[in-house]
Amino acid sequence: MKLRFSIDDRLTPELNRVIGELRDTRPLMAAMGKRLEVNLRAHFTHRDAEGNKQGWPSRHFWARAVRDKTALTLVTDSLAVVTIDSPELAHKITGGTITPKRGKSLAMPANAQAYKLGSPRESGRDFQFLPLYQGNLVGALINPETYTIGKKKGKADGKMRGGEVMYWLVRSVNQPDDPNALPDEASLFAGVLQTARDYLARMLRRSG
Amino acid sequence: MTYHTTTPAELPAWAILEIARAEMTARLLVLAVDRPDDKPIPVAGAWARPFVDLLQRITRMCQARDLWPDFLQRMEVTIESIPGLLAEMDTKPLADAIQAGMATAVVEGASNALAKVGRGKSVPQTFAAGIDLGPLEEAVAKLGSRTPVAAKLTSAEWADVPLALRERAQFSANVESVRFLSEVQDKLRKRLTWTREQIAKSDTAAGGEALVDRSSFIADMRALAIDEGINTTDPAHYGTVRDIRSAKRLGLIWDMQTKQASEFARWKMDHDPDVLDAWPAQRLLRVEEREHKRDWQSRWQAAGDEASWMGASRTAMVALKTSPIWTALSVFGTPWPPFDWGSGMGLEDVDRNEAEDLGLIAPDAPVPDYRSGSSPAGFNDQLQASVTDLADWAIARLLSVFGDKISLKDGVAAWVG
């Protein structure tokens, strides 16, 4: 996925004219490209601070899986590119349906403890499977320490089972696109004009 | 047709002047005004619209003056309306236009000064910025330079291995299985290159292609560790970071290595001369909360003392990117984050203005290269130094650990892969 933005439109006509006088524009692109990286990382830091909708202890997705993977990677005399090494972010931008590959269903954490543990496979713990098979819902994974089997007339009744649900198992998840996955253009290019001015002022001083 | 005219000698001087000025302006606008469809002349600033309209009217009047017996009276009325026009004007746009004009004059002066630098080559006419979602090439290369090294060394013992060799090894404390470490390397490579794994359909898996992520890495490497019979600790420490089969240990491997790889990529570009000149410094700050926080202020002071405060602030945790404080701060001896195991500290770039305000660098001066481990050249020096003039016992230890992966020549240990 590649996104491209014109910088000319964000500079004043006067600046564009002065830039046209420069012998070498790469240093200017380097300065502005780094500003772009700084703005992106600041946005992801802000998203990380929001926490999750459920109010569970954060797993720092935006900091670890996005911010830490954002870096200026290319600077030429006319182009600056920031690369974000995050497949998860790519999916948040486009949205889409997620289906299981490594398992038979997708495990959705039902509480803060499960969220902290990660996926059932990742946790390494054993859970009790409770089948439900209602539409998209396949079943639930129960905390084995709380798993109970109901009794009817003194005999175990397999239909009456329960316990603390740790994960809901579903066939698929439709993830809507996140309109705030990337900053809006104004935020993305905040300070770029000032960065350009600062650079040109510095060049003027150095040229005597 | 009868015309009543007033000779020029009978006109007040100011009227003659205004008519003359209108005529001159009309001639400048003649190409634009001479429109059969009478479209209004486009103007850059909305504040100028009333004036341009007036000039257009005057011009037409001049052009049609032979048709109007009362031309001069009409002109007089038109010119007398000018003061009223000014009184009704919203002058703020005009003030803004004047300010912009002054800025233009400054920039034109700058343009003239810059022109002295010369037009050595053709400069591009358009400039663009981009965001790519994909692998970080430098991170991939960094990981690719590592080779699995299986050795029963503790974390502390690995910390004593020369940096040059440690940087090239894919290792984990007390893990002696090459197969396990090779799989770690392969999983991380797939993640960094966005390579999908083929998952076979089975009783427990729907099958298909899937990217490697933290969750699958932990699950798969645990299964392999169990399969290989790898045991790195005693039962009392099962489930802790000492236990290679624990989510804590495997998650730490994933977090540390993926972060080190991406931060290395940032560090390399940060030392590009043009990037470094514009953004010469960085700030150490907390990016993730921790229940138990290390005392980074004290660590900063200690690292600063070790680095003789070269390029580093004593009052703020900010330093030039080339300052030796960064390698002094890190328990791993590398100038990029993370600076300690499971650290929640990160870096924020600091631009030249702020770096100069903090006194880290003289105004407009080039960023000094202290030839420390924090800059690429200095880091390579540090790598070289770490394997030079080693004691005999250290050499013997290295040979027992690395075997034929290293060579010793002229007192220098080198990686041969």
Side-chain angles (χ1 to χ4, degrees):
Chain A
M1 180 185 294
K2 292 179 189 293
L3 304 170
R4 291 291 181 267
F5 308 89
S6 166
I7 290 184
D8 310 36
D9 302 342
R10 299 160 213 286
L11 302 177
T12 63
E14 294 79 16
L15 272 174
N16 275 315
R17 195 166 64 244
V18 172
I19 291 169
E21 297 289 333
L22 292 175
R23 185 171 54 184
D24 182 6
T25 53
R26 189 182 185 277
L28 175 60
M29 292 307 299
M32 293 197 289
K34 191 64 177 176
R35 168 63 69 184
L36 191 69
E37 181 205 282
V38 167
N39 290 348
L40 279 165
R41 286 165 63 89
H43 174 75
F44 300 141
T45 299
H46 177 74
R47 289 299 308 267
D48 195 68
E50 291 173 348
N52 52 64
K53 283 181 278 190
Q54 295 83 358
W56 294 337
S58 176
R59 294 191 66 177
H60 297 292
F61 163 77
W62 287 100
R64 297 182 187 180
V66 189
R67 178 189 186 269
D68 288 351
K69 305 298 188 288
T70 301
L72 177 65
T73 52
L74 176 68
V75 176
T76 70
D77 58 359
S78 62
L79 177 67
V81 175
V82 174
T83 300
I84 306 176
D85 173 20
S86 177
E88 299 90 345
L89 179 67
H91 198 267
K92 281 189 178 291
I93 292 172
T94 61
T97 301
I98 304 171
T99 55
K101 308 292 189 302
R102 300 179 190 273
K104 285 288 196 182
S105 54
L106 299 172
M108 311 299 293
N111 54 47
Q113 184 189 5
Y115 185 68
K116 185 179 176 183
L117 287 173
S119 71
R121 287 183 72 226
E122 176 183 346
S123 74
R125 297 189 184 185
D126 293 323
F127 299 97
Q128 187 66 43
F129 174 62
L130 180 67
L132 293 169
Y133 298 115
Q134 297 174 15
N136 193 42
L137 186 62
V138 172
L141 291 180
I142 307 295
N143 180 347
E145 295 174 5
T146 64
Y147 184 64
T148 57
I149 298 178
K151 289 190 176 178
K152 193 172 182 183
K153 294 184 179 177
K155 291 183 181 177
D157 184 345
K159 292 181 184 176
M160 294 178 62
R161 289 174 282 181
E164 181 188 25
V165 175
M166 297 296 285
Y167 301 91
W168 297 108
L169 302 178
V170 296
R171 299 181 200 281
S172 66
V173 170
N174 290 324
Q175 183 177 53
D177 64 292
D178 182 345
N180 296 319
L182 291 174
D184 57 54
E185 281 198 32
S187 302
L188 188 61
F189 287 96
V192 164
L193 181 60
Q194 190 58 49
T195 295
R197 285 179 173 148
D198 289 344
Y199 168 77
L200 291 171
R202 196 157 57 246
M203 291 302 104
L204 277 175
R205 288 196 299 268
R206 286 178 176 172
S207 70
Chain B
M1 187 175 289
T2 305
Y3 296 95
H4 295 278
T5 61
T6 303
T7 64
E10 294 167 329
L11 285 173
W14 64 265
I16 296 173
L17 192 62
E18 291 303 324
I19 292 170
R21 186 173 297 158
E23 283 274 25
M24 287 169 61
T25 307
R27 289 184 200 288
L28 292 173
L29 295 172
V30 68
L31 289 176
V33 171
D34 190 18
R35 296 165 183 241
D37 55 1
D38 254 1
K39 280 186 180 171
I41 300 168
V43 292
W47 66 270
R49 181 83 258 158
F51 285 103
V52 175
D53 289 345
L54 177 66
L55 286 171
Q56 270 190 289
R57 213 161 70 219
I58 292 173
T59 302
R60 290 198 197 91
M61 289 169 68
C62 291
Q63 289 172 337
R65 62 186 179 276
D66 291 339
L67 302 178
W68 292 335
D70 61 345
F71 161 73
L72 291 178
Q73 284 78 11
R74 284 172 180 258
M75 182 64 75
E76 195 168 336
V77 168
T78 301
I79 292 170
E80 281 178 346
S81 72
I82 292 176
L85 184 71
L86 285 172
E88 289 171 5
M89 261 183 64
D90 175 5
T91 55
K92 185 181 183 307
L94 174 58
D96 291 343
I98 290 172
Q99 187 176 12
M102 290 173 67
T104 300
V106 170
V107 170
E108 283 181 345
S111 173
N112 292 336
L114 281 170
K116 292 179 189 175
V117 180
R119 300 178 197 234
K121 63 177 185 181
S122 150
V123 294
Q125 296 303 306
T126 59
F127 302 94
I131 299 174
D132 286 355
L133 274 91
L136 288 168
E137 288 181 9
E138 289 289 352
V140 175
K142 179 64 173 169
L143 177 73
S145 70
R146 291 183 185 268
T147 300
V149 177
K152 195 163 177 62
L153 294 180
T154 64
S155 284
E157 289 169 330
W158 269 111
D160 286 337
V161 170
L163 181 63
L165 302 179
R166 189 160 25 94
E167 272 290 289
R168 296 292 304 277
Q170 179 62 257
F171 66 92
S172 193
N174 291 316
V175 174
E176 296 179 89
S177 167
V178 174
R179 182 185 169 209
F180 181 88
L181 295 169
S182 296
E183 190 65 11
V184 166
Q185 179 86 352
D186 190 55
K187 291 270 187 199
L188 291 171
R189 179 192 61 78
K190 284 175 179 172
R191 163 59 187 87
L192 293 182
T193 57
W194 293 40
T195 302
R196 293 175 181 273
E197 289 185 325
Q198 193 63 39
I199 311 299
K201 191 175 179 181
S202 68
D203 292 340
T204 57
E209 289 187 339
L211 291 167
V212 176
D213 59 17
R214 191 177 191 268
S215 176
S216 68
F217 174 84
I218 291 172
D220 292 347
M221 296 313 302
R222 176 189 294 120
L224 181 57
I226 293 171
D227 191 52
E228 287 276 289
I230 303 172
N231 198 349
T232 55
T233 190
D234 53 78
H237 292 100
Y238 283 171
T240 69
V241 291
R242 295 188 188 187
D243 180 7
I244 194 61
R245 295 169 294 179
S246 72
K248 281 186 180 175
R249 174 69 172 270
L250 292 168
L252 186 63
I253 291 173
W254 174 272
D255 293 341
M256 291 294 291
Q257 293 220 28
T258 55
K259 181 155 184 170
Q260 283 171 339
S262 60
E263 292 289 353
F264 170 79
R266 278 191 72 236
W267 172 81
K268 273 208 83 174
M269 180 55 88
D270 275 353
H271 287 271
D272 172 281
D274 292 333
V275 176
L276 186 64
D277 187 61
W279 295 82
Q282 58 198 8
R283 173 181 286 107
L284 181 71
L285 74 173
R286 180 161 293 285
V287 294
E288 286 185 32
E289 283 302 314
R290 291 288 185 270
E291 195 176 333
H292 303 289
K293 297 183 177 66
R294 297 180 175 103
D295 183 358
W296 286 97
Q297 287 285 353
S298 297
R299 288 191 174 206
W300 183 262
Q301 294 299 317
D305 288 339
E306 183 178 330
S308 303
W309 294 102
M310 285 191 283
S313 169
R314 293 175 186 260
T315 55
M317 293 198 290
V318 183
L320 296 178
K321 291 173 180 175
T322 53
S323 169
I325 198 171
W326 300 110
T327 46
L329 188 69
S330 172
V331 299
F332 309 114
T334 50
W336 52 80
F339 295 110
D340 205 335
W341 295 102
S343 171
M345 303 298 284
L347 297 174
E348 179 181 76
D349 291 277
V350 172
D351 68 15
R352 177 166 272 273
N353 283 350
E354 187 177 358
E356 290 175 0
D357 289 345
L358 286 169
L360 295 176
I361 188 169
D364 302 324
V367 181
D369 182 357
Y370 301 103
R371 204 71 190 189
S372 72
S374 296
S375 65
F379 188 67
N380 285 333
D381 291 346
Q382 194 163 304
L383 290 179
Q384 186 69 17
S386 69
V387 290
T388 304
D389 297 329
L390 295 169
D392 290 343
W393 67 266
I395 294 173
R397 182 69 178 276
L398 288 176
L399 288 172
S400 72
V401 172
F402 291 99
D404 58 3
K405 290 186 176 60
I406 63 171
S407 71
L408 282 164
K409 188 179 177 184
D410 300 329
V412 179
W415 188 264
V416 295

